[in-house]
Amino acid sequence: MDDKPQAGQGALPDDFQIDIAVAAGSWPDENELASLCHAAIDAVFKVAPVEALAGSEVSLVFTDDAAVQELNKRWRGKGKPTNVLSFPGSEPDGDLYGPLMGDIVMAQETISRETDELGIEFSHHLSHLVVHGMLHLFDYDHQENDEAELMEGLERQILAGLGISDPYADKPLLADDD
């Protein structure tokens, strides 16, 4: 994460588009999803040192494990579902990202299972994964320990602003090999 600005930009830009598609799975009502996603993405812009071009957009696809497993195998060579996948769109212009931020794809069964295993609210876990996916679109990663520390620190700050507990409280900061 070289040369990132040092503070959040303030708020979700007025002309930032959030496109939501429910493709498969038993998801909450689309209005509830839209509200949750807007709040999570707005929090990213308030806290993280990120900036998007005017008129930028992100697509969030809510689907099932089978669809995510296929995408995960095709694009990452991993033949299993995962909770969230991010597919960056256009290359950034310096520190500005967009206009097509990219796609974030969620797997309903995996997220529900993790929610049960972790004993947390579905909406909190989903908010975390939207934040996580957005940070990936802004080139944050967690493949190396220093990257994981930076990304997870931002996630903690963003989620705290949403009133969501630290998802890493009981886990050490480690690079993700998944």
Side-chain angles (χ1 to χ4, degrees):
M1 301 298 76
D2 299 342
D3 302 322
K4 294 261 185 220
Q6 296 301 309
Q9 303 302 314
L12 184 67
D14 290 336
D15 59 355
F16 191 89
Q17 297 294 312
I18 301 171
D19 298 320
I20 294 175
V22 178
S26 299
W27 293 96
D29 173 80
E30 196 166 326
N31 290 327
E32 185 178 338
L33 287 173
S35 178
L36 183 144
C37 292
H38 278 81
I41 293 170
D42 185 48
V44 169
F45 279 93
K46 285 180 179 174
V47 174
V50 298
E51 202 170 351
L53 291 167
S56 291
E57 67 180 85
V58 65
S59 172
L60 290 109
V61 179
F62 296 90
T63 192
D64 58 16
D65 277 9
V68 170
Q69 180 173 336
E70 171 135 350
L71 289 169
N72 204 20
K73 183 174 183 176
R74 180 175 181 188
W75 295 104
R76 298 178 67 221
K78 298 178 186 258
K80 62 181 183 174
T82 188
N83 51 22
V84 61
L85 291 170
S86 296
F87 298 96
S90 51
E91 290 292 318
D93 181 12
D95 287 338
L96 289 172
Y97 286 76
L100 178 60
M101 295 294 304
D103 302 316
I104 300 171
V105 183
M106 307 278 189
Q108 189 268 321
E109 296 95 335
T110 296
I111 294 171
S112 291
R113 185 177 58 256
E114 290 172 347
T115 298
D116 291 342
E117 290 170 0
L118 296 168
I120 59 176
E121 288 184 40
F122 183 85
S123 63
H124 287 188
H125 192 41
L126 188 57
S127 293
H128 175 209
L129 295 173
V130 170
V131 167
H132 186 87
M134 280 298 294
L135 289 175
H136 275 310
L137 295 183
F138 283 109
D139 287 335
Y140 285 91
D141 210 343
H142 46 87
Q143 297 304 310
E144 303 292 331
N145 284 338
D146 59 336
E147 294 174 337
E149 187 173 335
L150 177 62
M151 186 171 176
E152 291 173 9
L154 277 173
E155 289 176 41
R156 285 183 176 100
Q157 289 179 302
I158 293 165
L159 294 172
L162 292 169
I164 297 173
S165 299
D166 178 357
Y168 302 109
D170 297 325
K171 300 175 191 164
L173 287 173
L174 295 174
D176 181 15
D177 62 355
D178 187 32

